[in-house]
Amino acid sequence: MKEQLMKMLEDRKEEIIQIRRYLHENPELSFQEVNTSKYIEAFYQGKDVKVQTNVGGGHGIIVTITGGKPGKTIGLRADFDALPIFEETDVPFKSKNPGVMHACAHDGHTAYLMILADCLIQLKDEIPGTIKIIHQPAEEVPPGGAIGMIKSGLLDDLDHIFGIHLLPLGPAGVVGYNSGYVFPGRAYFKLKIQGTGGHGSSPHLANDAIVAGAHFVTAVQTVVSRRLNPFDMGVITIGSFDGKGTFNVIKDSVVLEGDVRAMTDQTRALIEQEIRRIVKGVEQEFNVTCELTYTPDYPPLYNDPEVTKMVAGFLQNANNKDITEVKVFPKMSPSEDFAHYAKKFPACFFYICCTPKGVEKPYFNHNPKFDIDEDALLVAAKAVGQVVCGYYDLD
């Protein structure tokens, strides 16, 4: 069956590319993917498969492929939302929605999985188990679409789950993996500092919110440098400091917003604890009041070591002309809401290289000039297909 599946995917390479281009031309933002969801749903109409739509209170779709024999149940997940970015590429299938762009390769994720799913549907009598195709919306915006998909209860029977991400870290054909914690978790915070305004000539009659805010910005940087184990990964970024006023008026309030990244749940909890401690100290030191909103969203992404070893073995033994190299990749610094699945089910999330041909320094995901080598789409389909065949011992 494996050889048959690989041939089917090769024969449909151009179809994968055309689906990707259609999605690229018609991107939709997170939680707004009405037409994208309808497009995916229409693809499965008339096929011998169970399709569940509007999953998780949003635009999610789960396609259940029931094999001809009983066995384990796995999930294959792809996301399909786009980003609020004005596209700056020169491709002929450039976004038709100004200010919205598939700059993170979710169009490619969806395209490869749709065709792989269709091929698996045609071969389902040979599959000893059940495969759930998870078309997930809203990966880019917290709380993310994965939570709703999980809370629907429709995935409770999964034994394992797998996913990929297209990344321009090498030429098409290279597949990367790592195990343990591979992507950091993330949190958002917003801090409003309320002081007492006054005249610039009389600072003793005011409590300057800007000074208090500036102190917070400096103090919070010591959390990573002085509270974290040097071998742990953590980042605190103050991305917004809204303190605009008049040059000779002492500002009565400021609002700061920030981003936290941490590679483990323990580190993420420690950073939150320390930020809250510093906020209390700012209140005492500057006689101001602080209102802190702290929202953990995506947890760290944990690749089960045994599952990852299994996946790496399947890929390394693929003996396929399109999968040219399989190697360990370094841990990544972005966050991914696939992490929610990985907390509930043993998982492996791996990487498909997609650097455009002839490009030495590619634009990374989320850049307005981001592009991929579309040969990587077939690599993605084949790699995940190899995992499916290996998992079910289908030669």
Side-chain angles (χ1 to χ4, degrees):
M1 173 178 158
K2 182 166 66 175
E3 184 177 344
Q4 186 178 1
L5 176 61
M6 295 300 115
K7 179 64 167 58
M8 292 171 71
L9 292 171
E10 288 175 11
D11 291 343
R12 299 183 70 177
K13 176 181 177 180
E14 288 305 314
E15 190 177 352
I16 300 175
I17 291 173
Q18 290 308 312
I19 291 174
R20 181 256 167 169
R21 291 184 177 186
Y22 171 83
L23 294 171
H24 194 89
E25 278 189 308
N26 299 278
E28 294 179 297
L29 295 175
S30 305
F31 299 106
Q32 301 175 34
E33 313 95 329
V34 177
N35 293 325
T36 305
S37 182
K38 289 179 179 178
Y39 176 81
I40 297 170
E41 179 185 355
F43 176 82
Y44 292 101
Q45 285 185 353
K47 302 183 189 301
D48 186 14
V49 72
K50 181 179 180 181
V51 180
Q52 293 164 290
T53 60
N54 301 314
V55 177
H59 304 297
I61 296 173
I62 294 177
V63 179
T64 302
I65 304 171
T66 303
K69 306 170 188 176
K72 290 185 176 182
T73 300
I74 63 172
L76 307 178
R77 175 269 202 175
D79 36 19
F80 59 79
D81 55 327
L83 288 157
I85 292 175
F86 283 91
E87 184 165 2
E88 297 179 8
T89 68
D90 294 322
V91 297
F93 47 91
K94 190 174 181 177
S95 171
K96 295 178 180 177
N97 299 333
V100 184
M101 177 189 176
H102 270 297
C104 200
H106 295 183
D107 50 351
H109 299 171
T110 300
Y112 101 77
L113 187 57
M114 287 170 66
I115 297 302
L116 174 61
D118 194 24
C119 294
L120 291 171
I121 291 168
Q122 296 176 53
L123 299 171
K124 68 176 188 172
D125 288 345
E126 304 298 320
I127 299 172
T130 300
I131 301 172
K132 294 196 173 183
I133 305 298
I134 305 164
H135 289 293
Q136 181 210 302
E139 189 279 328
E140 296 289 357
V141 176
I147 288 180
M149 304 295 282
I150 293 169
K151 288 184 177 179
S152 73
L154 299 176
L155 302 176
D156 286 351
D157 56 347
L158 292 188
D159 291 293
H160 296 90
I161 189 168
F162 306 97
I164 62 96
H165 207 302
L166 290 158
L167 296 169
L169 297 174
V174 177
V175 180
Y177 69 94
N178 207 323
S179 64
Y181 286 107
V182 294
F183 278 17
R186 185 175 73 185
Y188 160 83
F189 66 86
K190 180 178 181 179
L191 175 64
K192 181 179 180 181
I193 300 176
Q194 182 66 55
T196 304
H199 197 287
S201 66
S202 305
H204 60 296
L205 300 177
N207 291 320
D208 193 335
I210 285 183
V211 172
H215 179 82
F216 173 81
V217 171
T218 300
V220 82
Q221 299 307 314
T222 66
V223 174
V224 172
S225 66
R226 288 297 177 268
R227 291 291 176 263
L228 263 60
N229 186 314
F231 294 101
D232 292 340
M233 177 271 185
V235 177
I236 301 174
T237 298
I238 307 297
S240 175
F241 191 129
D242 185 1
K244 184 173 175 56
T246 304
F247 77 97
N248 64 344
V249 175
I250 293 174
K251 189 77 172 159
D252 70 331
S253 67
V254 297
V255 177
L256 300 86
E257 293 179 278
D259 177 73
V260 171
R261 309 278 169 152
M263 192 58 85
T264 68
D265 288 322
Q266 293 79 9
T267 300
R268 190 165 66 146
L270 175 60
I271 291 175
E272 178 180 356
Q273 170 189 305
E274 291 300 310
I275 288 177
R276 292 186 181 279
R277 182 182 61 80
I278 290 171
V279 168
K280 290 181 180 178
V282 168
E283 287 185 313
Q284 291 293 316
E285 184 172 356
F286 294 94
N287 194 24
V288 296
T289 58
C290 294
E291 180 182 336
L292 176 66
T293 302
Y294 196 98
T295 309
D297 43 61
Y298 301 170
L301 198 165
Y302 184 78
N303 271 347
D304 182 278
E306 289 301 314
V307 177
T308 304
K309 181 179 179 181
M310 175 183 69
V311 167
F314 295 153
L315 295 172
Q316 288 163 346
N317 296 318
N319 191 27
N320 188 280
K321 61 183 176 61
D322 292 299
I323 301 174
T324 57
E325 185 177 8
V326 180
K327 62 181 182 179
V328 175
F329 269 27
K331 299 178 187 298
M332 306 287 177
S333 57
S335 299
E336 236 290 344
D337 86 338
F338 185 88
H340 287 296
Y341 301 109
K343 283 182 73 72
K344 187 173 177 64
F345 313 106
C348 180
F349 189 76
F350 55 103
Y351 324 116
I352 308 296
C353 290
C354 63
T355 300
K357 291 180 177 62
V359 176
E360 292 186 7
K361 295 182 179 180
Y363 295 101
F364 202 70
N365 305 58
H366 289 220
N367 188 289
K369 295 182 179 180
F370 172 77
D371 196 13
I372 67 171
D373 179 350
E374 291 180 318
D375 286 348
L377 301 174
L378 179 60
V379 177
K382 283 190 166 186
V384 178
Q386 291 282 346
V387 171
V388 171
C389 290
Y391 186 89
Y392 288 114
D393 197 21
L394 300 169
D395 292 324

